Each structure stands twice: as structure tokens, then as C-alpha cells.
Amino acid sequence: MAKVPTAVAAGGLVGGYGVARWSRKRQLGGAVLAVAGAAAAQRWRQQAGGAAACALTAAYVAAFAGSHPLAKKVGAWPAVFGVAGAVALASWAVADRRG
């Protein structure tokens, strides 16, 4: 169960974008992003504590925001996969490897 936050966080970023793109409903993609972020934050809090959960949640939100300008330079999917990878790495380093 230790890998759940990484998988949920990375999947939320990739899945949120995928749902928004393929459904052409940005709000639906945002809902996927928010639900995955909330689930990951809860597990981060359980595994690594409140301060780590706050930091990782901030990284998750920053990754979402940062993917937009990055997409203009490298393309949408590469930007999404890049920020998802960064969040997954941060999640593993802070929360997952403890388990």
C-alpha cells in the first residue's frame, strides 16, 4: 500500500488532463485532478505527517499550474508526463519510501 500516494498523484495529473482533453470538458478533468489530489493528500498525511502532506499537496498544485506554460514549450502530453513524474518522485522521496 506504500505506493498508493505516488500512483494516485501521478495518475491524477495524467488522468485529469486526459479526461479534460478527450471529453472536451475541462471541469470534468478538474474534478478528476481534485479527487486524486485529495486522496493522495490523505495518504501523504497518514504516511508522512501533516507538514509533508501540505508540502506535497502544494507541489501537486504547482505541478498542475506549471504544466500549462511548460506545455507551450514542449507540448501538452510531454509537459503533463514531466510534471507527473516530478510529483511522483517527490511523493516517493517524502512519503512512499518510509513505508
Side-chain angles (χ1 to χ4, degrees):
M1 191 79 161
K3 294 182 181 172
V4 169
T6 297
V8 170
L13 289 162
V14 173
Y17 175 69
V19 166
R21 181 170 179 143
W22 289 312
S23 71
R24 296 197 168 129
K25 297 185 187 313
R26 293 177 76 180
Q27 299 85 353
L28 189 57
V32 170
L33 182 81
V35 168
Q42 182 179 14
R43 291 293 295 158
W44 287 327
R45 186 180 51 76
Q46 291 170 349
Q47 285 187 235
C54 286
L56 288 169
T57 301
Y60 183 80
V61 172
F64 167 70
S67 69
H68 292 81
L70 182 59
K72 292 179 182 180
K73 295 181 183 204
V74 299
W77 280 111
V80 170
F81 285 129
V83 299
V87 168
L89 181 62
S91 177
W92 175 81
V94 174
D96 292 348
R97 73 178 173 167
R98 294 177 182 221

